[in-house]
Amino acid sequence: MHSIRRKLLFTLLAALLAAGFSAAAATFFSAQAEFNEFLDAHLRETAESLAASARDSMPFEAPTHLTIVGDTPSYRIIVQVYDSENNSLWQRENTPMMPLPEGPGFSLTQVEGKNWRTYSVAAGPLVITVGQDMRIRTSLAATAAFRILQPLLLLLPFIAIAVWIVVGSGLAPLEKTARSVARRSPTSLEPLSTKGLPTELAALVTAVNDLLKRLAESLSAQQRFASDAAHELRTPLTALKLQVQLAQRAKTPEAQQKCFARLNEGINRATRLVQQLLTIARLDPDASKKPMTTINLAELIESVREDMTPIAAQKRITITAAPGAASIDGMEDAIRLMVTNLTDNAIRYTPEDGRIELSTASENGLSVVRVSDNGPGIAPEERERVFDRFYRALGTKTSGTGLGLAIVKRIVDIHHGTIRIEDGLDGRGTTFRLEFPPLGASLPRQN
C-alpha cells in the first residue's frame, strides 16, 4: 500500500528538480553560445591588434615583454608568432605549441589531445595565432548554469520539509474521516460529517453518504421483507399442518377427501406465495446488469390476452385488447410478468360475466399500457398503499398474497416508468395506467 503523502512529496520534488535541471541546461547552452561569440571576438581583436603593432614596427624583433590588454587569467589566451623568413617561432613560456594554421581566420585544432579554438592573421612574413582551450568556455557556461541550480539544491531540504507539512495538513481531514469510519459498527449507517472538510474530500464523503443511505434503505427493505415473508409463510404452513392433522383424524373417506382438497388448495396458495417471493428477490438486485431489448407492447398484450383468456373463461369474463403502436426498451420477461400480474389480479377481483380490456398507445411522447376492468374497484384512499408488499385492501374477500402489485411496481420502477390507478370500465372498476419513456430513454442509468 503506497502513501499519498510520500508520493506527492517525491512527485513535487522530482518536478522541482526536473524544472531546475531543465533551466540549468537551457542556461548552459545559452551561456555557452554567448561565451563562444564573445570570446571569438576577443580572439580576433587580440590577433588583429598584435598584427597591426607588428606591421608598424617592421622589421619585427622578438619581443622581450608582451602584455595583452583584456587577457584575464580566467580566459587563458595564448599567443604564438611564426616568422616565415627566419623560420622561427615565438610563444610565451610554459604554453603549448600550436600547429601552423592552414589559412587566416578561425579554426578548431587539437593541442596535446585537447580542443583549442584559434584565430590566425598574417602581418608581412609573420603569422600571428591566438588560441584558447575550449574547456575554458565550457567551464564558464557550466559555472553560469550552476549558479541557477545552486539555490534550488540548497533550498531542496527546506522545500521537502514544507511540502511534507503542507501535504500532511491537507490529508489530516482524510485521516480523521478514516478513523471515524473505522470506529463505526457494521450496523451504523448514519451519514459522515462534512463539516470543515476540503472541497475534494467533501465530494468523496458526500458520495459515501449517498452509498450509506442506499445501503440503509436496502438493508431496511431486506429486513422488512424477511420479516414480512416469515410472517406470511407462517400462516399457510400452519394451515397445511392443521389440514394434515384433520386428514389423519378423519373417519370416513369423504371427510379425508375434503381435507385433501383443502390441503391441495393450501399447497397451491403456499406455492404461489413462494413463487412471488422469488420473483421479488430476482427483481431487487441492480437492474443495470439485466439485458434490455426493444419490446412491441401491442404484440405483448395480445399474447397475454391469449394466455389469460382460458383462465378468465372459468368466470365467463371477457378479455379484449386494443393494441396501439407503442414500444419500449426493457426486460421482456419482466414486462410480460407485469401485464400478466395485472390481468390475473383483474380476473380474481372482477365478478362473473365481467370484462377486462388491455390497451397500448403512444401519448405525449410516452408509451402507455392500460389494464382496465369493471370489478368493484379500489377506494381512492387505498390506491397508493396497494403497491406495498403484503398489503391487501380492507374488505377484500378474494384470496391472495399481497405481492402481485408490489412486483408490478418494482418492474415499473426498474424501467423508469410511472403507475397510477384510475376508474375502470362502465363507470366502475379499476384501470392501472402505466407510462414509460420512449425508446432509448428507459435503459438503466449508468454511474
Side-chain angles (χ1 to χ4, degrees):
M1 185 180 297
H2 64 274
S3 168
I4 296 178
R5 191 179 193 181
R6 191 177 297 110
K7 185 176 182 180
L8 285 174
L9 174 63
F10 289 155
T11 302
L12 289 173
L13 292 182
L16 285 173
L17 285 174
F21 279 110
S22 299
T27 301
F28 172 79
F29 290 113
S30 176
Q32 189 176 47
E34 292 181 3
F35 277 121
N36 283 337
E37 183 179 352
F38 169 74
L39 293 175
D40 279 352
H42 187 56
L43 288 179
R44 183 177 62 251
E45 291 173 359
T46 301
E48 291 178 350
S49 176
L50 290 175
S53 299
R55 292 190 193 96
D56 294 339
S57 58
M58 288 295 183
F60 178 78
E61 295 181 2
T64 58
H65 180 73
L66 180 63
T67 299
I68 301 176
V69 178
D71 183 16
T72 64
S74 60
Y75 294 164
R76 302 179 189 175
I77 293 176
I78 63 173
V79 177
Q80 178 177 287
V81 180
Y82 172 70
D83 187 348
S84 58
E85 288 185 350
N86 302 323
N87 193 27
S88 62
L89 182 68
W90 175 89
Q91 63 185 105
R92 287 181 175 179
E93 296 180 359
N94 301 321
T95 58
M97 184 178 68
M98 293 179 289
L100 295 177
E102 296 179 356
F106 290 105
S107 65
L108 191 64
T109 185
Q110 288 278 331
V111 179
E112 298 180 354
K114 301 172 185 177
N115 290 326
W116 283 68
R117 179 74 163 171
T118 62
Y119 184 84
S120 301
V121 63
L126 305 178
V127 177
I128 301 173
T129 303
V130 180
Q132 184 180 48
D133 191 343
M134 290 296 293
R135 293 181 305 170
I136 303 302
R137 303 184 175 199
T138 303
S139 176
L140 291 171
T143 300
F146 182 72
R147 288 173 181 169
I148 297 295
L149 188 60
Q150 186 179 25
L152 178 61
L153 294 176
L154 293 176
L155 291 174
L156 200 60
F158 301 99
I159 295 175
I161 294 172
V163 169
W164 183 265
I165 294 173
V166 170
V167 172
S169 175
L171 293 177
L174 180 60
E175 296 174 355
K176 180 180 178 181
T177 303
R179 289 194 299 269
S180 175
V181 173
R183 288 195 298 266
R184 289 192 168 209
S185 65
T187 57
S188 178
L189 297 177
E190 292 79 11
L192 300 170
S193 174
T194 57
K195 183 178 180 181
L197 295 181
T199 304
E200 296 79 6
L201 182 56
L204 173 62
V205 172
T206 300
V208 172
N209 286 339
D210 290 341
L211 176 60
L212 290 175
K213 181 180 179 182
R214 294 196 298 271
L215 285 175
E217 293 173 352
S218 177
L219 287 176
S220 176
Q222 294 298 327
Q223 291 170 355
R224 184 173 61 252
F225 173 71
S227 175
D228 292 344
H231 178 270
E232 291 296 320
L233 284 171
R234 187 184 301 115
T235 300
L237 291 177
T238 301
L240 291 176
K241 185 176 181 179
L242 291 174
Q243 291 298 332
V244 170
Q245 292 174 353
L246 291 173
Q248 290 174 340
R249 291 198 296 267
K251 296 181 179 181
T252 63
E254 292 79 7
Q256 283 185 340
Q257 190 66 29
K258 186 176 181 180
C259 291
F260 285 141
R262 291 178 178 175
L263 181 62
N264 185 59
E265 292 176 1
I267 291 174
N268 289 337
R269 285 194 298 270
T271 301
R272 177 181 174 83
L273 175 61
V274 171
Q275 288 175 342
Q276 290 187 319
L277 288 173
L278 291 175
T279 300
I280 286 284
R282 286 195 298 268
L283 291 175
D284 277 341
D286 187 4
S288 65
K289 299 179 181 178
K290 300 182 183 297
M292 293 285 182
T293 58
T294 299
I295 305 168
N296 187 319
L297 294 175
E299 294 178 357
L300 188 142
I301 65 166
E302 281 283 6
S303 176
V304 171
R305 183 191 66 80
E306 293 176 1
D307 293 342
M308 300 302 291
T309 293
I311 300 175
Q314 297 177 3
K315 296 177 65 176
R316 297 188 301 277
I317 295 174
T318 303
I319 302 180
T320 60
S327 299
I328 65 169
D329 291 318
M331 296 178 286
E332 184 171 359
D333 291 342
I335 296 296
R336 179 178 293 276
L337 175 63
M338 175 191 71
V339 179
T340 300
N341 271 8
L342 288 174
T343 306
D344 179 68
N345 193 69
I347 292 172
R348 286 189 293 110
Y349 286 94
T350 300
E352 293 183 355
D353 299 317
R355 67 189 186 96
I356 299 171
E357 182 179 279
L358 311 181
S359 66
T360 59
S362 294
E363 300 176 4
N364 300 321
L366 300 175
S367 297
V368 180
V369 178
R370 293 184 181 89
V371 178
S372 306
D373 62 58
N374 62 351
I378 301 174
E381 63 271 14
E382 295 195 5
R383 290 182 178 181
E384 291 297 326
R385 297 194 61 192
V386 295
F387 297 108
D388 295 340
R389 293 175 180 178
F390 304 109
Y391 178 81
R392 302 187 67 222
L394 294 175
T396 301
K397 297 180 180 180
T398 304
S399 63
T401 63
L403 285 173
L405 294 182
I407 293 173
V408 170
K409 182 64 166 61
R410 176 59 181 158
I411 294 173
V412 171
D413 290 341
I414 287 175
H415 292 80
H416 311 298
T418 59
I419 181 171
R420 66 174 183 266
I421 300 176
E422 301 173 344
D423 293 336
L425 304 174
D426 305 327
R428 57 195 178 96
T430 303
T431 294
F432 287 89
R433 177 188 173 95
L434 303 95
E435 298 179 347
F436 298 96
L439 289 175
S442 62
L443 294 174
R445 299 181 180 92
Q446 302 294 328
N447 292 330

